[in-house]
Amino acid sequence: MSAPIRPQPGILEIALYQGGQSALAGHDAPLKLSSNENPFGPSPKALAAMTGALGDSHRYPSTDHAALRAAIAAVEGLDAERIICGVGSDEIIHFLCQAYAGPGQEVMHTEHGFAMYRISALAAGATPVEVPEHERVVDVDAILARAGPDTALVFIANPANPTATFLPMDQITRLADGLPESCILVLDGAYAEFVDGYDGGAALAGSRANVVMTRTFSKAYGLGGLRVGYGYGPRAIIDVLNRIRGPFNLSGVALAGAEAAIGDRDWVAECLRVNADERARLVGGLRQLGIGCDDSHANFVLARFADAATALAADAHLNAQGIIVRHPKSYGFPEALRITVGRPADNDRVLAALAEFRGAA
């Protein structure tokens, strides 16, 4: 008898990723605040660029992403030769695990870290290792205490998701200083744009042999549906990642849209300004209602209730009002709801609905 067909070790340990809910029975146009999307959408210049690129859909796209890398480099002050573009920052995370982790090696992430860290580690045959956080913030000492010669990669999201907490740069540097030289520190900057004066770890990735930064166009730039991200780090690491990157991993429409989006500084600046104002108002409103909420450094807030039952009841009440948020129980927060910062009117609806819920409770 022939041997049964089996996937590589670790694959069947991967739970299918659950994205944010996008539909509600009985509501034709629900208010979707479950996926941390930019409520204002893409820049008009990005929309025009994407529309223009559709006419060339019969042509293969650029294989080196030179124009997009140059645009990113110009805006962020980076070396274009040290940038790799991917299908969202998720693909860069996957490349890093595929290239640098495997059986007998560990990939470390914090207890509430992004699900793709564990998924990509298991897909590579490596062992994911979870370390605790301290009051929902990355704990540098816990990571350093657990890291060892088998630790191939350490993933840190800063600001973090789903907590929206932030680790100061001096602590990130202390972490980089304390890790083994053979271990790559990956700074996931998906929400970096929402922190004033924060470079997402670019300077550290530009000066260390074992630090890589990832960024995305899905959040601040409103291009989640296009799937564009990038990584930045030492040329030696970027060269390795490019060897496993598909030559046509990004479409011509995605490349055109991302290049125009990052070039429209006025649009993104206005989106960030409104987000900062509305984020503060949402956090303050939740606290006035007696709902726990840390200071947010992203485009969402984590609202914490007394227990899981109360969070589920609040979620059901919001749903009844046509509002979709995220119940992040898979991230270790059954007692919480993650709420995207929306437009002013959106946030009015959320606060009014939760005030009604608290009053009824």
Side-chain angles (χ1 to χ4, degrees):
M1 296 180 61
S2 61
I5 298 173
R6 301 181 188 276
Q8 292 290 341
I11 301 295
L12 294 180
E13 295 180 49
I14 299 172
L16 294 178
Y17 183 82
Q18 300 295 319
Q21 185 181 356
S22 59
L24 275 178
H27 296 275
D28 293 334
L31 173 57
K32 183 173 181 283
L33 300 174
S34 58
S35 298
N36 303 339
E37 297 153 332
N38 184 333
F40 299 104
S43 151
K45 293 181 180 179
L47 289 173
M50 289 185 280
T51 301
L54 286 172
D56 289 326
S57 293
H58 59 301
R59 305 292 185 192
Y60 281 101
S62 160
T63 61
D64 63 6
H65 311 148
L68 177 56
R69 289 189 296 107
I72 294 168
V75 168
E76 300 290 347
L78 306 178
D79 178 356
E81 297 302 314
R82 299 170 67 169
I83 296 173
I84 178 174
C85 298
V87 182
S89 54
D90 296 10
E91 189 175 38
I92 309 302
I93 291 166
H94 191 76
F95 287 160
L96 286 160
C97 288
Q98 184 181 355
Y100 290 101
Q105 294 178 302
E106 298 175 344
V107 174
M108 193 177 297
H109 60 86
T110 61
E111 63 179 309
H112 303 300
F114 184 35
M116 287 306 301
Y117 307 150
R118 172 180 168 82
I119 290 171
S120 296
L122 289 170
T127 302
V129 173
E130 180 182 292
V131 295
E133 296 177 3
H134 178 68
E135 296 184 349
R136 299 168 300 282
V137 179
V138 170
D139 188 334
V140 170
D141 291 323
I143 295 172
L144 294 178
R146 181 60 180 78
D150 294 331
T151 308
L153 293 156
V154 172
F155 285 99
I156 298 296
N158 198 45
N161 175 24
T163 63
T165 55
F166 181 71
L167 191 66
M169 199 63 219
D170 64 326
Q171 292 299 302
I172 296 176
T173 302
R174 184 166 74 87
L175 175 59
D177 289 341
L179 288 174
E181 292 182 1
S182 59
C183 173
I184 299 174
L185 173 61
V186 184
L187 302 173
D188 181 349
Y191 299 94
E193 287 87 357
F194 298 100
V195 183
D196 287 341
Y198 177 52
D199 70 354
L204 206 61
S207 61
R208 304 292 182 101
N210 63 337
V211 178
V212 173
M213 174 188 74
T214 65
R215 300 284 282 271
T216 184
F217 283 83
S218 297
K219 307 303 179 184
Y221 292 102
L223 297 179
L226 280 195
R227 311 307 304 126
V228 185
Y230 68 94
Y232 181 72
R235 288 196 183 193
I237 292 178
I238 299 303
D239 175 69
V240 168
L241 302 186
N242 271 316
R243 292 171 187 270
I244 57 177
R245 177 181 64 82
F248 303 112
N249 61 328
L250 290 179
S251 71
V253 172
L255 289 166
E259 183 182 348
I262 201 168
D264 193 346
R265 305 315 300 163
D266 291 340
W267 177 264
V268 73
E270 180 62 11
C271 290
L272 295 177
R273 184 194 67 77
V274 175
N275 178 81
D277 291 346
E278 288 300 302
R279 178 178 64 193
R281 191 166 71 88
L282 188 55
V283 168
L286 290 170
R287 289 173 177 170
Q288 287 182 354
L289 293 172
I291 299 171
C293 187
D294 293 319
D295 289 340
S296 170
H297 300 271
N299 67 336
F300 60 90
V301 299
L302 186 70
R304 306 192 315 278
F305 297 84
D307 49 44
T310 306
L312 285 172
D315 192 30
H317 184 80
L318 289 167
N319 286 174
Q321 303 293 320
I323 302 169
I324 303 173
V325 297
R326 184 76 177 266
H327 184 216
K329 61 181 180 180
S330 62
Y331 282 92
F333 288 110
E335 78 287 1
L337 296 177
R338 192 190 70 185
I339 307 170
T340 303
V341 177
R343 298 162 297 183
D346 301 336
N347 302 321
D348 287 343
R349 286 182 61 184
V350 170
L351 290 172
L354 288 175
E356 184 179 82
F357 170 75
R358 297 295 278 186

